[in-house]
Amino acid sequence: MISIEKLTKKYGTQVVLDNINIQIQDGEIFGLIGRSGVGKSTLLRCINGLESFDSGSLIVDGTNVKELNKKTLREFRKSVGMVFQHFSLLKRLTVYENVALPLKTWGYSKEETAKIVNDLLEIVGLSEKSGSYPDELSGGQKQRVAIARALTLNPKILLCDEATSALDPQTAKSVIKLLVDINQRLGITIIVVTHQMSVVKSCCERIAILEEGKVAVEGNVEEIFIEQSKPLQRLIGQKDLALPPEGENIKILLSNKNSKEPVISTLSRELNIDVRVLGGEMEYFREHTVGTLIMNVESSNMQQVTAYLEERGIKWFLLSTEDENTKEGVPC
């Protein structure tokens, strides 16, 4: 659906995007995350043609964005919807009129407009607010209007630039649920720019972490969070662990296939050894449950324990009080 290869973007002598390579599949929800100023929003604007770039290629649904002229670029943007952080609604227009605005611009008939707008307001759950004005809506309702407006021209791609950042956590959660529902119902490809990890975990299938204008890591969101890749650690920080100096400290990574199994209690019972549980957490990634557990075992039992984990395909790391990921076990 979207192929970005060796894309570079400069503002004067400052390199904002440096040799970006990302492949986004048709129908997936893809996240672009990173600290402020790393180029996330700039890359998003390159995708819909609002920003030019200096070198590389950007192919969107078979269209080379760099080759578009003014006329073809306008037509291209019909296929790319955009949702902004602060809604960008016109206060003097009703909800219906705000959603209908792109259709009016493109010369749709009143009958076509009414059908499209009413269908979209039903999808976003705001049919009863059709005649209301933005000042009469909550933040979450305003963002739902903005999402409906972005979908009016039946785009193949929906770009969301910090779409939940201005919302409280509960409202943000409802908007994320709406985006997932739209993705599943309409099959639309969604690209989410965010710094909120809850958004990434709740809706994204794959992510790219940007650092200093470069892609530091790209891949499945569950795997990146479970394995706590270095770019992710630098982004969200790392928890201080009170690891005992005696024995061996092991972090085990639980994928969706083994997250519901009593791994440590079964290990302790079958090997007839004592295990100290130091910590752990389980998290939801869309419909999957994954997590980590940290345990301490006597050094003399280390070989037995790691053989047990490897036999069951459970990924593990040996931790130390100096450097957390000092040794890697077998992959899941």
Side-chain angles (χ1 to χ4, degrees):
M1 167 60 77
I2 301 175
S3 176
I4 305 172
E5 296 183 357
K6 300 180 179 179
L7 187 146
T8 298
K9 165 74 176 177
K10 298 178 182 178
Y11 289 131
T13 58
Q14 181 184 3
V15 179
V16 181
L17 298 172
D18 187 1
N19 196 37
I20 300 292
N21 292 279
I22 296 175
Q23 303 295 318
I24 300 174
Q25 305 303 316
D26 186 19
E28 76 173 332
I29 302 181
F30 190 92
L32 292 172
I33 66 175
R35 297 184 185 279
S36 298
V38 298
K40 305 184 301 295
S41 295
T42 300
L43 181 56
L44 209 66
R45 291 195 294 270
C46 287
I47 292 173
N48 69 359
L50 286 174
E51 289 272 4
S52 61
F53 51 94
D54 296 285
S55 61
S57 69
L58 175 53
I59 310 298
V60 179
D61 195 28
T63 298
N64 188 332
V65 178
K66 199 171 183 63
E67 294 179 353
L68 296 174
N69 56 38
K70 199 169 184 179
K71 180 179 179 181
T72 55
L73 182 59
R74 184 172 183 267
E75 187 68 31
F76 164 76
R77 286 185 183 142
K78 286 180 67 177
S79 65
V80 184
M82 188 84 176
V83 181
F84 301 93
Q85 178 179 357
H86 295 294
F87 325 129
S88 298
L89 303 180
L90 296 180
K91 292 184 178 182
R92 59 184 174 80
L93 301 182
T94 65
V95 166
Y96 181 98
E97 291 167 337
N98 265 286
V99 176
L101 193 57
L103 299 169
K104 183 178 180 181
T105 301
W106 281 91
Y108 281 64
S109 68
K110 288 185 178 180
E111 292 75 16
E112 288 177 302
T113 298
K115 174 70 168 62
I116 293 170
V117 172
N118 289 330
D119 286 349
L120 287 172
L121 288 178
E122 184 175 349
I123 288 174
V124 300
L126 289 178
S127 295
E128 76 285 357
K129 296 291 185 179
S130 177
S132 301
Y133 288 88
D135 285 344
E136 300 172 317
L137 305 178
S138 67
Q141 289 171 333
K142 290 177 183 177
Q143 195 59 287
R144 287 171 178 266
V145 175
I147 291 170
R149 182 185 57 193
L151 295 173
T152 53
L153 299 177
N154 192 29
K156 296 179 180 179
I157 301 166
L158 182 63
L159 307 180
C160 300
D161 192 0
E162 299 284 6
T164 59
S165 295
L167 306 175
D168 65 81
Q170 195 60 37
T171 304
K173 192 173 181 179
S174 70
V175 171
I176 293 164
K177 186 175 182 298
L178 173 63
L179 290 174
V180 173
D181 181 57
I182 288 170
N183 169 258
Q184 294 173 343
R185 289 176 63 173
L186 305 180
I188 190 170
T189 302
I190 300 178
I191 303 176
V192 177
V193 162
T194 185
H195 65 273
Q196 296 172 298
M197 296 304 107
S198 59
V199 173
V200 173
K201 295 173 185 177
S202 299
C203 71
C204 296
E205 297 160 88
R206 293 192 306 121
I207 59 172
I209 299 178
L210 271 59
E211 289 184 339
E212 298 179 353
K214 299 180 180 180
V215 176
V217 66
E218 177 189 354
N220 178 275
V221 63
E222 293 176 22
E223 294 174 1
I224 290 175
F225 271 86
I226 293 173
E227 296 182 15
Q228 290 286 297
S229 67
K230 293 297 183 182
L232 181 66
Q233 289 178 22
R234 288 192 290 269
L235 178 62
I236 66 176
Q238 199 172 359
K239 294 180 181 178
D240 292 329
L241 300 175
L243 300 175
E246 68 280 354
E248 305 292 346
N249 303 304
I250 303 171
K251 178 198 281 187
I252 63 175
L253 310 179
L254 301 177
S255 63
N256 186 54
K257 66 180 181 181
N258 54 35
S259 63
K260 296 179 177 64
E261 298 175 6
V263 176
I264 291 183
S265 62
T266 304
L267 178 152
S268 179
R269 184 173 59 252
E270 291 187 8
L271 299 184
N272 194 29
I273 64 173
D274 292 326
V275 176
R276 292 173 63 188
V277 178
L278 304 177
E281 59 184 349
M282 304 300 292
E283 295 182 284
Y284 284 108
F285 287 79
R286 296 190 64 154
E287 67 272 18
H288 295 163
T289 306
V290 298
T292 61
L293 291 171
I294 300 171
M295 61 182 178
N296 175 272
V297 299
E298 292 184 9
S299 298
S300 58
N301 294 325
M302 182 65 178
Q303 188 173 353
Q304 273 184 290
V305 170
T306 55
Y308 178 93
L309 296 173
E310 290 170 8
E311 185 179 324
R312 286 154 182 78
I314 298 173
K315 193 167 186 178
W316 60 273
F317 294 93
L318 179 63
L319 307 181
S320 78
T321 54
E322 296 179 356
D323 182 17
E324 184 170 320
N325 293 340
T326 57
K327 179 181 176 183
E328 185 175 340
V330 295
C332 298

